[in-house]
Amino acid sequence: TDRKKLHTAPVGQVFRLRPFHVLVATGGGYAGYRKYEDYKLEQLEKRGIEVPVKLASEWEVALYKSVPTRLLSRAWGRLNQVELPTWLRKPVYSLYIWTFGVNMKEAAVEDLHHYRNLSEFFRRKLKPQARPVCGVHSVISPSDGKILNFGQVKNCEVEQVKGVTYSLESFLGPRISTEEMHFSQAPPGNSFQQQLVTKEGNELYHCVIYLAPGDYHCFHSPTDWTVSHRRHFPGSLMSVNPGVARWIKELFCHNERVVLTGDWKHGFFSLTAVGATNVGSIRIYFDQDLHTNSPSYSKGSYNDFSFISNNNKEGIPMRKGEHLGEFNLGSTIVLIFEAPKDFKFNLKAGQKIRFGEALGSL
């Protein structure tokens, strides 16, 4: 009788499940399941077994989007800025090097103690001789990475991986006014794809390059061209690894991306940097007004910026191999450009490529 009474609150007051928590837990668990499925798929591909395409349903995409990847990417970005104690730098960076197979012999600074934080290590520069730029071919790889797909654009659809496509117009957005660009006016009624082709007898080509976390994170100009316009699409930051790209149709249209458009000697040329999980930060060196992965954004929106002004009517000239921008970790570069019908790619789907190596030429 002299025992103390234990007072307990109702279970509902102690543990309340909120919709946000349910979405995060469910979405996070499903994302983990998808990672496991991607791993199994990679093992089958290594054994030479072709796996049929199985696209995600609308509810699966919605469930994946429920994971707060934008918030997590911003948190990851802040973590990367934290200065590491000198004694901790070598163990942390060595683990990353071992996990992702980084070749530090190519780095301009090989001493791991030199990099104060993870961000500096991710954005490390290479030795000048590490990536010779091909002078023979007209288009080179803008980055290190893996070739996911390439070829002609057909029926206004572009392949992100074999058998999985996305809409060219959804990806690039509405056509930019001819007053801002050097393009000729296309006849009315033509398809979006035909409107981008400015010279008779030319075709539209594409190439998709996936940058893994262990790859060199900077990207460069793939050819001699002039950048006239930038279009920034805020969006999701889902993973863009080949397994997810094979699973989610129009993945690149869902994700945040920066589209640079302009022209080269054969007409229309564009380079798009696609964001991904933990890669909310996309930097273009000559564009100080660009701010990616902002906390507030409107779904489906985009913002434009013209590099053509009264003082600069030509835009931003870029030379082949010149530094263009960088990712925070690793992601995807998509090239879409106009060229004569005899343009040929010197590539194989799935091959590894390094910045400076030839993509194709006439």
Side-chain angles (χ1 to χ4, degrees), residues 2-16:
D2 56 352
R3 290 181 182 175
K4 293 182 180 179
K5 292 183 179 180
L6 177 65
H7 294 277
T8 58
V11 174
Q13 294 180 12
V14 177
F15 183 72
R16 292 182 179 177

Side-chain angles (χ1 to χ4, degrees), residues 184 196-203 264-267 338:
S184 59
L196 296 180
V197 178
T198 64
K199 298 180 180 179
E200 188 176 353
N202 282 1
E203 297 288 347
W264 69 319
K265 60 183 178 181
H266 298 297
E338 173 185 0

Side-chain angles (χ1 to χ4, degrees), residues 74-147:
R74 284 194 294 274
W76 176 251
R78 291 182 180 179
L79 179 63
N80 289 347
Q81 299 293 331
V82 176
E83 185 169 342
L84 296 176
T86 305
W87 62 269
L88 188 58
R89 294 174 189 176
K90 188 171 183 179
V92 171
Y93 301 148
S94 296
L95 177 62
Y96 184 89
I97 290 168
W98 176 79
T99 303
F100 296 108
V102 178
N103 184 4
M104 283 302 294
K105 291 183 178 179
E106 298 176 333
V109 180
E110 296 184 40
D111 182 12
L112 299 180
H113 296 100
H114 169 80
Y115 304 100
R116 294 173 297 177
N117 52 47
L118 285 165
S119 182
E120 286 189 1
F121 179 72
F122 293 149
R123 296 182 288 107
R124 64 194 175 277
K125 304 300 181 184
L126 298 181
K127 294 174 182 175
Q129 67 274 19
R131 296 290 187 275
V133 176
C134 176
V136 178
H137 294 80
S138 55
V139 184
I140 63 168
S141 176
S143 66
D144 289 5
K146 179 181 180 180
I147 301 295

Side-chain angles (χ1 to χ4, degrees), residues 21-199:
H21 296 154
V22 173
L23 286 173
V24 170
T26 309
Y30 193 74
Y33 166 74
R34 287 305 314 174
K35 285 286 186 182
Y36 174 67
E37 290 292 310
D38 294 341
Y39 171 76
K40 292 198 300 182
L41 187 61
E42 289 177 3
Q43 297 304 308
L44 290 174
E45 287 183 339
K46 288 179 179 179
R47 292 162 56 187
I49 301 174
E50 188 171 346
V51 181
V53 174
K54 182 181 179 182
L55 295 177
S57 62
E58 290 186 9
W59 71 265
E60 287 177 311
V61 175
L63 187 58
Y64 191 0
K65 282 187 173 183
S66 71
V67 181
T69 51
R70 293 179 62 84
L71 177 62
L72 292 173
S73 297
R74 284 194 294 274
W76 176 251
R78 291 182 180 179
L79 179 63
N80 289 347
Q81 299 293 331
V82 176
E83 185 169 342
L84 296 176
T86 305
W87 62 269
L88 188 58
R89 294 174 189 176
K90 188 171 183 179
V92 171
Y93 301 148
S94 296
L95 177 62
Y96 184 89
I97 290 168
W98 176 79
T99 303
F100 296 108
V102 178
N103 184 4
M104 283 302 294
K105 291 183 178 179
E106 298 176 333
V109 180
E110 296 184 40
D111 182 12
L112 299 180
H113 296 100
H114 169 80
Y115 304 100
R116 294 173 297 177
N117 52 47
L118 285 165
S119 182
E120 286 189 1
F121 179 72
F122 293 149
R123 296 182 288 107
R124 64 194 175 277
K125 304 300 181 184
L126 298 181
K127 294 174 182 175
Q129 67 274 19
R131 296 290 187 275
V133 176
C134 176
V136 178
H137 294 80
S138 55
V139 184
I140 63 168
S141 176
S143 66
D144 289 5
K146 179 181 180 180
I147 301 295
L148 294 190
N149 218 302
F150 63 92
Q152 284 190 17
V153 177
K154 298 179 180 179
N155 302 320
C156 295
E157 291 282 321
V158 185
E159 281 194 319
Q160 58 192 27
V161 293
K162 184 178 179 180
V164 182
T165 63
Y166 56 92
S167 163
L168 178 65
E169 186 169 6
S170 297
F171 182 68
L172 295 178
R175 188 167 181 264
I176 301 160
S177 64
T178 53
E179 289 78 9
E180 291 188 51
M181 308 298 286
H182 301 164
F183 307 152
S184 59
Q185 180 66 50
N190 280 0
S191 68
F192 182 82
Q193 177 179 336
Q194 291 170 324
Q195 290 177 28
L196 296 180
V197 178
T198 64
K199 298 180 180 179

Side-chain angles (χ1 to χ4, degrees), residues 214-315:
D215 287 326
Y216 169 55
H217 294 340
C218 296
F219 51 93
H220 301 245
S221 176
T223 191
D224 294 334
W225 65 308
T226 300
V227 183
S228 305
H229 188 272
R230 179 259 290 163
R231 176 168 284 162
H232 172 216
F233 290 86
S236 301
L237 288 174
M238 295 184 283
S239 172
V240 292
N241 75 55
V244 178
R246 189 182 290 106
W247 179 54
I248 297 180
K249 183 178 174 63
E250 300 206 332
L251 171 65
F252 299 157
C253 298
H254 290 294
N255 272 14
E256 182 155 7
R257 60 198 182 278
V258 176
V259 183
L260 300 178
T261 53
D263 62 308
W264 69 319
K265 60 183 178 181
H266 298 297
F268 173 80
F269 199 96
S270 74
L271 179 149
T272 301
V274 183
T277 307
N278 294 335
V279 197
S281 174
I282 301 172
R283 182 183 174 193
I284 305 297
Y285 294 137
F286 58 74
D287 188 355
Q288 301 302 316
D289 296 320
L290 175 64
H291 300 287
T292 57
N293 196 11
S294 172
S296 59
Y297 78 102
S298 178
K299 184 179 179 180
S301 66
Y302 62 86
N303 56 75
D304 288 337
F305 185 86
S306 175
F307 297 109
I308 297 177
S309 63
N310 293 330
N311 298 326
N312 178 22
K313 294 185 179 296
E314 296 299 321

